[in-house]
Amino acid sequence: MPGAIYAEGLVKTFGDVRALDGVDLDVPEGTVLGLLGPNGAGKTTAVRCLTTLLRPDSGKAVVAGIDVLKQPNEVRRSIGLSGQFAAVDEYLTGRENLQMVGQLYQMRSKAAKARAGELLEQFHLADAADRPTKTYSGGMRRRLDLAAALVVSPPVMFMDEPTTGLDPRNRQELWEVIKQLVAGGTTLLLTTQYLEEADHLAHDIAVVDHGRVIARGTSDQLKARTGGERVEVVVHEREHMGTAAEVLGGFGKGSTTVEEHTRKLTVPVTGGAKLLAEVIRELDTRGIEIDDIGLRRPTLDDVFLSLTGHVAEAGRNGPAADAGREDKDKEKKEAAK
């Protein structure tokens, strides 16, 4: 039986750009699927198709047991959505924004007001509740947008890079809110570029590139595919980099990456701290002085580089990303209809 979020063969094109190229997803009820991928990979397009904001060219999608293509209005009543960018009305107060969303979901005025108060407290916005949101900081707007997605406590949630723009403390607080939601039975599809975020929240992770799911598994399983661990060495003398690369190559489980300008060498390994000690002894035996050495787990860039052949971009570029940049106020209101 399909999960709370199910997609089969989703295809979406924008002119010559094939933003989705046969995406398959299945998210069991009460779990979190982390959708990882570079900018322009198709993550946001997939979310917009699953939340009825875009109609796929072909394929099947079912959310909360409802056919997305045949019954879009019923789907909208069963989901919450927080897009990439905060969709709040700058001229309304924080409280008024939340009450408006509640009323769009056809809540009674009294219930919408009470729910707004609860969420303002939960997201630490109570002190600014009656200020126009144009006076809010970027992080405050982001928290208000996330609160708006939770007004009706939907059984299925979609969060598209929800912690973008949040400081570490607010990010941690949001993670706790998400964990509480899922513990209460909510199903969540979360797009993110932060492997750390997926580590904390996702039961399963799907990696998307060029509109296709190219890998799926737990965070540990994906990291294992990139070599599990990395030994990083910074040599003191640049002329020793060749010899150091030779040493690391003898211990590594893949190619050694060399950064000339920082004199840093990195190689995937298995064996943990015991192997690290052996590397240090061999470097010392070969007379190679080092400034720094350490053992670390793969980073997001390691996973992307291994699976996609390139790292995650820092900017929001790419055809699929460009195609998803539409009026976010409209997106919020459409999702609530």
Side-chain angles (χ1 to χ4, degrees):
M1 182 177 178
I5 302 172
Y6 177 78
E8 181 180 335
L10 284 186
V11 173
K12 182 64 183 177
T13 59
F14 299 96
D16 295 332
V17 177
R18 202 169 177 86
L20 297 181
D21 191 18
V23 168
D24 298 327
L25 297 171
D26 191 0
V27 189
E29 186 175 344
T31 67
V32 180
L33 175 68
L35 207 58
L36 293 176
N39 288 304
K43 303 187 303 295
T44 295
T45 303
V47 168
R48 290 172 65 79
C49 286
L50 290 167
T51 56
T52 78
L53 297 174
L54 282 176
R55 186 177 180 87
D57 300 327
S58 61
K60 179 181 181 180
V62 177
V63 174
I66 306 167
D67 191 301
V68 172
L69 299 181
K70 295 179 180 178
Q71 299 173 286
N73 289 335
E74 286 74 9
V75 170
R76 291 168 188 162
R77 295 188 183 100
S78 302
I79 65 173
L81 168 64
S82 176
Q84 279 190 9
F85 306 95
V88 297
D89 189 317
E90 293 188 343
Y91 296 97
L92 297 180
T93 67
R95 191 185 308 279
E96 288 168 343
N97 266 281
L98 296 182
Q99 290 179 203
M100 176 187 69
V101 172
Q103 290 168 347
L104 286 171
Y105 275 106
Q106 300 181 352
M107 295 176 67
R108 293 183 180 276
S109 179
K110 185 176 181 180
K113 184 176 181 179
R115 182 59 176 157
E118 293 172 4
L119 289 167
L120 289 164
E121 289 286 349
Q122 186 175 12
F123 283 87
H124 305 287
L125 292 169
D127 290 344
D130 298 309
R131 281 169 35 195
T133 52
K134 64 182 179 181
T135 67
Y136 284 19
S137 67
M140 291 171 69
R141 292 187 189 198
R142 192 61 176 144
R143 280 182 280 153
L144 182 64
D145 180 73
L146 292 166
L150 300 173
V151 166
V152 294
S153 301
V156 178
M157 277 287 301
F158 294 86
M159 292 187 175
D160 194 4
E161 300 189 21
T163 59
T164 299
L166 296 185
D167 60 38
R169 181 175 66 85
N170 285 322
R171 181 175 291 140
Q172 292 279 352
E173 289 175 352
L174 175 60
W175 288 350
E176 290 306 313
V177 170
I178 292 173
K179 287 178 181 178
Q180 292 170 16
L181 284 172
V182 176
T186 299
T187 304
L188 172 64
L189 190 149
L190 167 77
T191 78
T192 181
Q193 291 192 36
Y194 304 125
L195 190 57
E196 179 190 10
E197 190 157 272
D199 273 336
H200 278 79
L201 300 174
H203 298 91
D204 207 10
I205 295 170
V207 180
V208 180
D209 196 34
H210 298 296
R212 286 181 171 272
V213 176
I214 61 172
R216 181 157 181 172
T218 66
S219 178
D220 286 341
Q221 288 169 340
L222 291 178
K223 289 176 182 179
R225 291 182 59 170
T226 67
E229 297 170 314
R230 298 286 192 274
V231 168
E232 286 186 345
V233 177
V234 179
V235 300
H236 186 67
E237 301 290 345
R238 195 175 302 277
E239 57 264 29
H240 288 159
M241 292 183 68
T243 306
E246 181 183 333
V247 171
L248 292 181
F251 292 96
K253 299 298 181 182
S255 59
T256 301
T257 302
V258 179
E259 297 179 15
E260 292 283 350
H261 63 292
T262 59
R263 306 186 310 280
K264 183 169 74 173
L265 302 93
T266 305
V267 65
V269 298
T270 57
K274 182 179 179 181
L275 180 134
L276 182 63
E278 293 175 4
V279 172
I280 293 172
R281 282 196 294 268
E282 183 62 21
L283 290 170
D284 185 58
T285 299
R286 301 286 287 270
I288 301 172
E289 185 178 353
I290 60 175
D291 290 340
D292 193 19
I293 189 168
L295 185 71
R296 66 167 175 81
R297 301 192 73 189
T299 64
L300 176 63
D301 278 352
D302 294 327
V303 174
F304 280 167
L305 187 59
S306 173
L307 295 174
T308 71
H310 54 89
V311 298
E313 297 89 341
R316 284 185 171 80
N317 301 316
D322 291 338
R325 286 194 189 102
E326 297 183 10
D327 187 337
K328 295 300 172 177
D329 290 326
K330 179 181 178 182
E331 175 179 299
K332 180 72 70 177
K333 294 174 183 177
E334 286 296 318
K337 284 182 180 178

